[in-house]
Amino acid sequence: MFLKFKPLLKTTLWGGDKIIPFKHLQSNEQQVGESWEISGVEGSETIVCGGPYDGRKLNDVLAEMKERLVGEDNYRRLGNEFPLLIKFIDARQNLSIQVHPNDEIAQKHGKGRGKTEMWYIMDSAPDAKLYCGLRQTITPAQYEEMVNNDTITDALAQYIVKKGDVFFLPAGRIHSIGPGCFLVEIQQTSDVTYRIYDYKRKDKDGNYRQLHTREAAESIDYHVERDYRTDYVARRNQGVALVQCPHFCTALYDLDEPMTLDYSELDSFVILICLDGNGSLTDDEGNTVSFQTGDTILVPAATNIIQVEGTVKFLETYA
């Protein structure tokens, strides 16, 4: 069985115009900054489109299928909470400078879970940029001073990005998506964001958006790394590991010949995110689904084998 979901489109101050055509949608919505592809976040749950669970929320399906959907270990740890949130993000303007807490800090502040995430860059503008991590050592006191005097971006590592770039953002890594970026975001199921700096922009009502300077100071990892971009070598017709962390494992596939994906030893659901091309997926019970650019498909943990046909490039991720 395969589960497809109706995308949950989010209009934002900084949203662009790439998501609607990328996903082949008939919509007149403007400034769509995010498409939540698979989400169990309360109030923003995605709804199954087609098949035996058509019209039902992801969390309702999980409550019925339990470990058959997410795997025994995931269900034992998280119960009826789906582990991952998948988004497409299209930025026409700078997003705020922000950071996410880890689980411990989030729970201390009454939040259910922190947020570790990753980005895979898609077909972005030639001059698209983003911030990821600190480029110089600063103290919490220096951080607050730089926020107050509008110089915090001076302390951040900035990257001009291209299609295929990958960034891993463990909880605590300060970051911001810049104008022209179009990307896939894979993250823990959490909507906890501490906004550090917002370029003194006002919302549609003329108000400054809330900042969380002190909460962020507690959450930031002040360690400086040489390079925050993930290094990998793309290969045709085999899986290439991109990120492996306690919350998710993600690989890239670029296929122009049939491939069998064997999940018989994996105790988890699998999510397949189509970046380019088209083809089909067939499971070990003979169920077949089309797979094209912009599609995101949830494969239940009870599935053992998938046959992929077509010329298609996709991400595979699981908990």
Side-chain angles (χ1 to χ4, degrees), residues 61-82 266-270 299-303:
V61 177
L62 173 53
E64 180 174 321
M65 292 187 67
K66 298 181 171 59
E67 66 275 358
R68 292 185 297 118
L69 180 65
V70 296
E72 292 182 3
D73 184 60
N74 287 324
Y75 194 74
R76 184 165 50 249
R77 288 187 302 112
L78 301 174
N80 292 328
E81 178 185 341
F82 193 78
L266 180 66
D267 181 29
S268 175
F269 63 91
V270 176
V299 182
T303 301

Side-chain angles (χ1 to χ4, degrees), residues 32-276:
V32 177
E34 299 182 348
S35 174
W36 288 30
E37 297 287 292
I38 296 180
S39 167
V41 174
E42 185 176 356
S44 292
E45 296 172 54
T46 47
I47 296 172
V48 178
C49 182
Y53 291 99
D54 183 51
R56 297 184 62 180
K57 294 179 180 179
L58 171 58
N59 288 352
D60 293 338
V61 177
L62 173 53
E64 180 174 321
M65 292 187 67
K66 298 181 171 59
E67 66 275 358
R68 292 185 297 118
L69 180 65
V70 296
E72 292 182 3
D73 184 60
N74 287 324
Y75 194 74
R76 184 165 50 249
R77 288 187 302 112
L78 301 174
N80 292 328
E81 178 185 341
F82 193 78
L84 298 182
L85 171 58
I86 309 298
K87 303 176 183 176
F88 292 124
I89 298 179
D90 174 24
R92 182 176 53 88
Q93 301 177 11
N94 284 306
L95 276 68
S96 60
I97 307 297
Q98 56 191 241
V99 72
H100 308 300
N102 59 28
D103 289 351
E104 181 182 0
I105 293 174
Q107 289 162 11
K108 187 172 79 172
H109 290 282
K111 308 295 184 181
R113 202 163 303 285
K115 188 193 295 188
T116 286
E117 59 191 9
M118 67 165 286
W119 295 331
Y120 179 92
I121 308 298
M122 297 191 292
D123 197 7
S124 300
D127 58 348
K129 299 176 183 178
L130 56 79
Y131 291 109
C132 183
L134 293 169
R135 70 178 183 88
Q136 66 187 56
T137 301
I138 59 174
T139 65
Q142 288 172 320
Y143 148 78
E144 291 205 32
E145 181 182 354
M146 295 181 84
V147 170
N148 291 332
N149 64 23
D150 304 323
T151 60
I152 187 60
T153 57
D154 294 345
L156 307 182
Q158 187 177 60
Y159 294 85
I160 297 175
V161 297
K162 64 183 185 304
K163 189 175 182 178
D165 281 351
V166 173
F167 293 85
F168 176 53
L169 296 102
R173 183 163 293 170
I174 191 170
H175 62 272
S176 175
I177 299 170
C181 288
F182 184 34
L183 55 85
V184 179
E185 182 173 273
I186 298 168
Q187 59 160 94
Q188 284 179 272
T189 291
S190 170
D191 205 23
V192 181
T193 295
Y194 292 148
R195 192 178 296 120
I196 294 169
Y197 183 70
D198 198 36
Y199 304 95
K200 292 197 162 46
R201 291 179 295 195
K202 296 182 179 180
D203 63 20
K204 58 183 175 59
D205 298 318
N207 300 314
Y208 292 117
R209 293 200 294 173
Q210 183 182 3
L211 300 181
H212 312 92
T213 308
R214 293 193 178 279
E215 296 93 333
E218 181 184 9
S219 301
I220 292 172
D221 178 358
Y222 291 92
H223 174 73
V224 177
E225 295 190 10
R226 183 183 61 82
D227 188 3
Y228 295 94
R229 190 166 12 208
T230 297
D231 185 36
Y232 72 97
V233 178
R235 294 185 176 88
R236 186 62 63 87
N237 297 314
Q238 66 182 88
V240 177
L242 301 180
V243 172
Q244 294 180 311
C245 73
H247 306 291
F248 53 81
C249 296
T250 303
L252 173 67
Y253 289 82
D254 187 1
L255 308 183
D256 61 7
E257 59 185 43
M259 174 174 277
T260 298
L261 303 177
D262 186 346
Y263 299 126
S264 57
E265 299 300 317
L266 180 66
D267 181 29
S268 175
F269 63 91
V270 176
I271 296 171
L272 304 177
I273 306 163
C274 189
L275 307 170
D276 194 20

